[in-house]
């Protein structure tokens, strides 16, 4: 029989058949050679990294084991589709609401809001720097002849325009007009204003014809100004003013600063006046001042200026007590000696309070003192600390601002703006304006050398006021600023009953002219109102700690979970990505890399030599001690499941009651 043949041909020991499923018993099949099936991994065998086989299995595992509230309801209510759908929608809506709140929190954080903290401190205070100017531009000997010529031409211009005799000697000067030098460029002119269209055809009355015979001083259809042109005279414009006073002052100022630019760099310091000619008395904290407490400089428009308690002093004044008796007290001379009346139209003095490392911009922050009045100025210090970087557009020291600091001081916004205008002046006009500091190798503007600088200067002023030069956008605010809030009080000084002896003492000690009386003297007191000073500092409204706290609050509100729940969500997302990647990879390999199916695949497997098959295609012994059979002489090959169609089932052996799951050996009849 067939079974007997098999027994005769197989003298070897019987081979056990390895179980396919966990729990199957290994039974010996007698002496019949049955092809061994490669071992399948059991539940006890776990790989180092395992992933779920499907999305359904992943979500079921997540819902059963997560600590997020509500997720378990998606599994527990799976037999009730309505509840499952309800909890799924509720869970998704809650999830969306939470992340909407997350978006709002992140938007608030990345807007970098700040909070303003106000602190009130009390301590000894450093007294600020105080700059006082005479309001009397100086007549330097080097340019005295040019200034006298400018005065004579101005007087003649006033007479020609308004028939105004500005001095008792004007007629003598008019008779000697031939002795004058060449006329100044850019003469002051009276310019007609065109009539409105609706008045162009109106006839003049007889009364108006009679007024034409008189000097046209009060006429409103005339403007005063002077013409400015560029280098080649291709473009000109009139710098006009509706007021004759403003026109004469600006025209005189334009020529004055042009003449002043001819001074050498050392002339300003050589013509310095003594402090006693301007300041009669000086006291700080009831102690007299000395020469080491002040420094001197000259301002083109405000004359000789003196700065007390600046950074160049040997020591800085400190205020340990508030009040008028614990500050700076000055008695000033305000006599108009050798004034330039067409340039300085006010009398008194100009004062400014500023920091030690800041220049005195008298045009921007100064105020005038009135003669014959005691001015008491109380101060209160305020400090502001801004946050830079993402929280605010400020700079620490100006090193990151694209404008070179031309002032010998620390960075301030005003310093930057003035330096920016001077840079544009040098770039566009080829010279520097004398009202601002200049670089070393640049000349001040003089129309003898730069004929069109006035045209360029007034054009730049118009562009500067419109911020067309970009100076206001380039010059950022400093992060640390110290300001002094001032409040002033005025009283008559000296009083009627005390003025006699005060004037006598001043005349005897300081050569004060008694005839001037009250118009030639003024008094100034500057002191701290209180030693309490306010500090305004910015701080981030939303820090990283605040952001994490708000995120945790929102997460607990909507899901009642913790940080580990966030890790679970991250793990879920990671598993989803990995499963998706593996499924796509499996589909790609099955389409392009897997062998053909059906009979073609069977023939490929059947014709493959045994030595080239994978090792797990060989039958494995049940005992580790038994050696593996030699695959070379064996005529039977086993194939991995599933069985191919060409391999039929084996005949049932004698005495077998059930079908056999083993495949027949290849080449068996």
């Amino acid at each position: 029989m067939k079974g007997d043949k098999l027994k005769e041909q197989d003298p070897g020991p019987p081979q056990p058949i390895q179980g396919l499923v966990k729990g199957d018993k290994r039974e010996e099949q007698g002496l019949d050679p049955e092809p061994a099936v490669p071992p399948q991994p059991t539940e006890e065998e776990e790989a180092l990294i395992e992933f779920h086989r499907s999305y359904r299995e992943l979500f079921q595992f997540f819902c059963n084991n997560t600590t997020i509230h509500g997720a378990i309801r998606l599994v527990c209510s799976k037999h009730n589709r309505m509840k499952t759908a309800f909890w799924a929608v509720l869970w998704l809506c809650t999830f969306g609401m939470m992340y909407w709140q997350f978006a709002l929190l992140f938007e608030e954080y990345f807007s970098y809001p700040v909070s303003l903290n106000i602190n009130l401190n009390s301590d000894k205070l450093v007294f600020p720097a105080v700059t006082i100017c005479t309001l009397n531009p100086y007549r330097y000997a080097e340019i005295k002849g040019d200034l006298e010529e400018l005065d004579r031409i101005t007087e003649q211009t006033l007479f020609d325009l308004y028939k105004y005799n500005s001095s008792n000697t004007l007629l003598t000067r008019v008779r000697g007009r031939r002795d004058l030098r060449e006329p100044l460029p850019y003469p002051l002119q009276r310019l007609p204003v065109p009539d409105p269209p609706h008045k162009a055809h109106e006839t003049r009355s007889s009364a108006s014809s009679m007024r034409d015979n008189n000097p046209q001083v009060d006429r409103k259809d005339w403007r005063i100004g002077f013409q400015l042109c560029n280098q080649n005279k291709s473009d000109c414009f009139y710098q006009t003013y509706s007021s004759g006073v403003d026109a004469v002052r600006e025209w005189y100022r334009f020529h004055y600063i042009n003449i002043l630019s001819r001074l050498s760099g050392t002339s300003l310091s050589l013509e310095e006046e003594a402090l006693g000619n301007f300041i009669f008395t000086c006291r700080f904290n009831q102690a007299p001042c000395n020469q080491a407490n002040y420094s001197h400089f000259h301002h083109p428009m405000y004359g000789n200026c003196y700065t007390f308690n600046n950074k160049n002093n040997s020591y800085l004044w400190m205020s340990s007590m508030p009040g008028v008796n614990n500050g700076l007290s000055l008695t000033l001379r305000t006599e108009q000696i050798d004034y330039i009346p067409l340039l300085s139209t006010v009398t008194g003095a100009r004062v400014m309070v500023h920091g030690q490392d800041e220049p005195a911009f008298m045009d921007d922050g100064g105020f005038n003192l009135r003669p014959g009045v005691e001015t008491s100025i109380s101060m209160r210090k305020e400090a502001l600390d801004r946050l830079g970087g993402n929280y605010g557009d400020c700079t620490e020291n100006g090193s990151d601002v694209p404008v070179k600091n031309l002032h010998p001081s620390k960075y301030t916004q005003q310093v930057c703006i003035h330096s920016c205008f001077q840079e544009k002046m040098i770039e566009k006009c080829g010279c520097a304006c004398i009202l601002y500091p200049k670089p070393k190798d640049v000349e001040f503007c003089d129309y003898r050398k730069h004929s069109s600088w006035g045209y360029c200067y007034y054009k730049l002023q118009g562009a500067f006021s419109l911020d067309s030069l970009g100076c206001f956008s380039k010059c950022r605010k400093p992060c640390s600023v110290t300001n002094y809030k001032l409040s002033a009080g005025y009283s008559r000084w000296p009083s009627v009953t005390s003025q006699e002896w005060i004037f006598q003492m001043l005349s005897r000690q300081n050569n004060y002219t008694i005839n001037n009386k009250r118009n030639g003297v003024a008094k100034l007191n500057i002191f701290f109102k209180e030693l309490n000073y306010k500090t305004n500092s910015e701080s981030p409204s939303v820090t990283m700690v605040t952001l994490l706290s708000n995120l945790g609050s929102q997460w607990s509100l909507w899901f009642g979970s913790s940080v580990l729940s966030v890790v679970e969500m991250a793990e879920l997302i990671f598993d989803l990505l990995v499963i998706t990647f593996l499924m796509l990879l499996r589909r790609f390999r099955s389409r392009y890399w897997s062998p053909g199916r059906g009979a073609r695949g069977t023939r490929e497997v059947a014709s493959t030599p045994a030595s080239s098959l994978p090792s797990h295609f060989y039958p494995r012994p049940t005992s580790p001690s038994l050696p593996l059979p030699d695959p070379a002489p064996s005529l039977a090959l086993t194939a991995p499941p599933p069985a191919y169609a060409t391999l039929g089932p084996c005949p049932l052996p004698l005495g077998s009651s059930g079908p056999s799951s083993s495949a027949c050996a290849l080449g068996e009849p």
Side-chain angles (χ1 to χ4, degrees), residues 413-414 417 420 463-477:
Q413 193 172 26
Q414 288 299 101
I417 290 174
C420 177
F464 176 77
S465 60
L466 299 175
D467 196 22
S468 301
L469 302 180
C471 292
F472 294 97
S473 58
K474 292 179 182 177
C475 297
R476 295 183 289 164
K477 298 177 181 179

Side-chain angles (χ1 to χ4, degrees), residues 9 11 38 92 133 168 241 347 417 437 481 503 516 534 559 651 663 666:
Q9 294 176 0
L92 292 177
C133 298
N168 296 329
Y241 301 88
T347 182
I417 290 174
V481 180
F503 290 150
N516 289 333
K534 185 169 61 174
F559 286 103
L666 293 177

